[in-house]
Amino acid sequence: MILTVTLNAALDITYRVPELRRHASHRVTEVVERPGGKGLNVARVLAALGHDTVVTGFAGGITGEALRAQIRDAARSAVSGALTDALVPIAGNTRRTVGVVDAATGDTTQLNEAGPTIAAAEWNAFTSAYATLLADASAVALCGSLPPGVPVGAYADLVRRARAASVPVLLDTSGEPLHRGIAARPDLVKPNAAELAELTGSTEPLRAAQAARRRGAHAVAASLGADGMLAVTSDAAWRAAPPERIAGNPTGAGDSAVAGLLSAWAENLPWPDRLARAVALSAATVQAPTAGDFDRPTYERLLPLVEVAPATAVG
């Protein structure tokens, strides 16, 4: 199975309104609730692709109960891979994220709570559960922000534990947790272009990805938004571009890219095929109504059309 870690899980609430206007009341035309947080989005896409997936992290309070109920519903409706809840209970209340979709423009305004404070005993309970789950994992994805109370070097510790258990590990975070986590030598990091520039100081993606490898990552796969994805390994570099621009909501597109990379990794596909899957899934997610979903006909149409070529620096 593939293990995904979401230390700052959320209940994602999406409101759709005819037009979003400042200082005005709005009539909501649709409300959608989904399990949220990057690792949970990744897990739902992995399950849809046929991979048995276990989700762990923290859940607590009334919102945590609602989140776990949503995971159970998603698991029951899964038609392919299994989706298993291994979240660790906490005293605090799981955070909510609220996305307001403006139907007139298609734009989304996102409001993200910080998350509950994690006590030292709760963190210790999680690391114990994590060690147990690693024993059956074929790969692990460490995704998203850290909630208050979790050490800033948490991902570095979790990377080292995975590597000690001989489990390949992907890291998808930002800021200081990324700075510290990459030094623990994860097998793969998946920043976006802004995160990669902040990490390395370089705005040229290929040079920045090469610099990230020198900081400790065995491989780097950088999301370049509508321009696709760049991958740099120890012996090669590739760029993958979607065949067309897809209009819609980009929320969760990066998480689907992570699921594409992980699933293709688990299937021992070569790097160009991993990138093609990641880019096609990312584009297909833009046409889905919520993060953690993708439009399967769009994915199947785009996958054979994604262009993958050797990468060279620009500028």
Side-chain angles (χ1 to χ4, degrees):
M1 62 85 173
I2 297 176
L3 177 64
T4 72
V5 175
T6 311
L7 296 177
N8 209 7
L11 183 65
D12 282 350
I13 304 168
T14 302
Y15 295 132
R16 183 175 293 272
V17 298
E19 182 182 5
L20 184 61
R21 293 172 287 118
R22 295 181 63 188
H23 311 302
S25 296
H26 297 79
R27 184 176 298 279
V28 176
T29 59
E30 182 184 22
V31 180
V32 178
E33 289 188 358
R34 289 286 189 276
K38 294 178 72 65
L40 285 167
N41 294 338
V42 171
R44 294 209 310 278
V45 175
L46 283 169
L49 292 171
H51 290 269
D52 292 343
T53 308
V54 174
V55 297
T56 191
F58 298 108
I62 295 174
T63 310
E65 291 175 5
L67 171 70
R68 302 186 90 150
Q70 291 278 356
I71 295 173
R72 289 193 296 271
D73 289 345
R76 282 194 292 266
S77 63
V79 295
S80 195
L83 181 62
T84 303
D85 172 5
L87 294 168
V88 174
I90 56 172
N93 200 36
T94 294
R95 68 186 180 124
R96 295 160 297 181
T97 68
V98 178
V100 182
V101 179
D102 183 332
T105 64
D107 293 337
T108 300
T109 299
Q110 195 73 20
L111 306 173
N112 297 332
E113 296 179 0
T117 298
I118 306 301
E122 293 168 338
W123 174 246
N124 291 337
F126 168 79
T127 56
S128 177
Y130 177 73
T132 300
L133 291 166
L134 282 175
D136 294 319
S138 59
V140 58
L142 309 174
C143 302
S145 61
L146 300 179
V150 171
V152 70
Y155 281 136
D157 176 47
L158 298 182
V159 168
R160 293 187 189 101
R161 290 171 183 259
R163 290 185 57 79
S166 298
V167 178
V169 56
L170 180 153
L171 177 62
D172 182 14
T173 188
S174 60
E176 189 61 22
L178 175 58
H179 280 262
R180 299 199 185 196
I182 200 170
R185 301 189 61 78
D187 294 273
L188 177 62
V189 294
K190 205 291 297 172
N192 61 32
E195 293 162 349
L196 188 60
E198 192 276 334
L199 174 69
T200 66
S202 174
T203 58
E204 200 293 310
L206 180 56
R207 294 193 182 98
Q210 291 167 336
R213 280 203 69 251
R214 290 192 292 272
R215 290 173 179 265
H218 288 264
V220 178
S223 294
L224 305 178
D227 292 328
M229 181 166 278
L230 165 73
V232 176
T233 70
S234 60
D235 55 7
W238 300 268
R239 284 182 187 260
E244 62 192 64
R245 298 277 173 155
I246 303 294
N249 180 5
T251 304
D255 302 333
S256 290
V258 169
L261 292 169
L262 273 175
S263 62
W265 188 359
E267 295 166 27
N268 294 314
L269 296 181
W271 263 105
D273 291 343
R274 298 181 196 184
L275 284 179
R277 181 178 294 182
V279 167
L281 277 172
S282 181
T285 297
V286 172
Q287 291 204 325
T290 56
D293 296 324
F294 64 95
D295 184 74
R296 190 174 289 274
T298 299
Y299 165 64
E300 292 175 348
R301 178 177 63 83
L302 293 179
L303 180 59
L305 303 177
V306 174
E307 300 175 1
V308 184
T312 56
V314 177

